[in-house]
């Protein structure tokens, strides 16, 4: 899961990809966000992605993020982030407390692209759920982008 935030443009978006243990695409998502900073956007992306995991019963799950501050915030939330952190912690309990790990940005390229695409979506608060990829190929991002642009 990833968030894209641009104070300069006044836009933010969330996106993520859920893969099986072989690294194959199960489902992806993106949506516009109304977060006011990068950390909040990343927290929203994690929460939203794991709501999708819960709704589609995609267990067991392991959680990876490329934002160290997100992991720190989950341990010691600043008062500003307590509502979203508590909501996410509650969701983690429903998901049987999956492991949370840091991943490197290079491993999160697809989620990054999806979050940036989410920031470009029109004012809708409807999440785009993408179940069209069936392999690990970056070439499929062109197909994703075409589908997302057609939803504008």
């Amino acid at each position: 899961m990833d968030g894209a935030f641009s104070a300069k443009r006044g836009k933010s978006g969330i996106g993520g990809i859920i893969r099986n243990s072989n690294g194959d695409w199960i489902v992806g998502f993106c949506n516009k966000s109304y977060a006011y900073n990068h950390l909040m956007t990343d927290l929203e992306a994690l929460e939203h992605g794991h709501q999708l995991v819960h709704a589609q019963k995609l267990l067991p799950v392991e959680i990876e993020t490329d934002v160290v501050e997100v992991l720190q915030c989950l341990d010691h939330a600043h008062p500003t982030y307590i509502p979203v952190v508590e909501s996410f912690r509650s969701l983690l309990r429903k998901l049987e407390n999956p492991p949370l790990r840091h991943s490197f940005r290079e491993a999160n390229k697809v989620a990054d692209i999806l979050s940036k695409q989410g920031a470009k979506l029109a004012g809708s608060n409807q999440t785009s759920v993408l179940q069209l990829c069936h392999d690990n190929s970056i070439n499929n991002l062109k197909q994703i982008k075409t589908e997302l642009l057609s939803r504008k």
Side-chain angles (χ1 to χ4, degrees):
M1 309 331 151
D2 199 17
F5 176 78
S6 172
K8 183 177 176 181
R9 293 186 185 103
K11 293 185 176 191
S12 59
I14 59 173
I17 181 170
I18 299 161
R19 300 178 187 270
N20 66 17
S21 59
N22 295 323
D24 300 322
W25 180 296
I26 296 174
V27 65
F29 72 92
C30 66
N31 198 2
K32 187 169 188 70
S33 171
Y34 297 96
Y36 47 84
N37 65 34
H38 186 71
L39 180 57
M40 183 60 91
T41 307
D42 282 306
L43 287 167
E44 282 184 11
L46 271 177
E47 181 182 28
H48 202 84
H50 290 87
Q51 287 171 348
L52 186 60
V53 165
H54 186 261
Q56 294 196 11
K57 298 177 178 30
L58 301 173
L59 297 172
V61 66
E62 295 178 6
I63 302 167
E64 294 182 353
T65 179
D66 64 355
V67 182
V68 174
E69 293 84 1
V70 166
L71 298 174
Q72 293 169 341
C73 189
L74 293 173
D75 286 336
H76 308 287
H78 184 278
T80 303
Y81 306 109
I82 286 177
V84 70
V85 168
E86 287 303 318
S87 176
F88 186 63
R89 286 178 182 159
S90 173
L91 186 57
L92 287 175
R93 287 189 291 277
K94 290 177 186 175
L95 297 175
E96 301 172 10
N97 293 311
L100 290 111
R101 284 191 279 278
H102 177 259
S103 66
F104 292 100
R105 185 168 302 277
E106 296 78 24
N108 207 26
K109 287 181 182 178
V110 176
D112 182 60
I113 290 168
L114 289 170
S115 66
K116 288 176 181 172
Q117 196 61 42
K120 295 177 185 176
L121 293 175
S124 170
N125 204 21
Q126 183 69 27
T127 299
S128 294
V129 177
L130 308 161
Q131 298 182 338
L132 55 110
C133 287
H134 299 290
D135 65 38
N136 210 8
S137 172
I138 292 293
N139 292 330
N140 282 320
L141 290 176
K142 291 179 183 176
Q143 185 179 2
I144 294 167
K145 189 171 184 177
T146 300
E147 180 178 329
L148 290 171
L149 291 173
S150 70
R151 294 180 184 188
K152 280 189 172 183

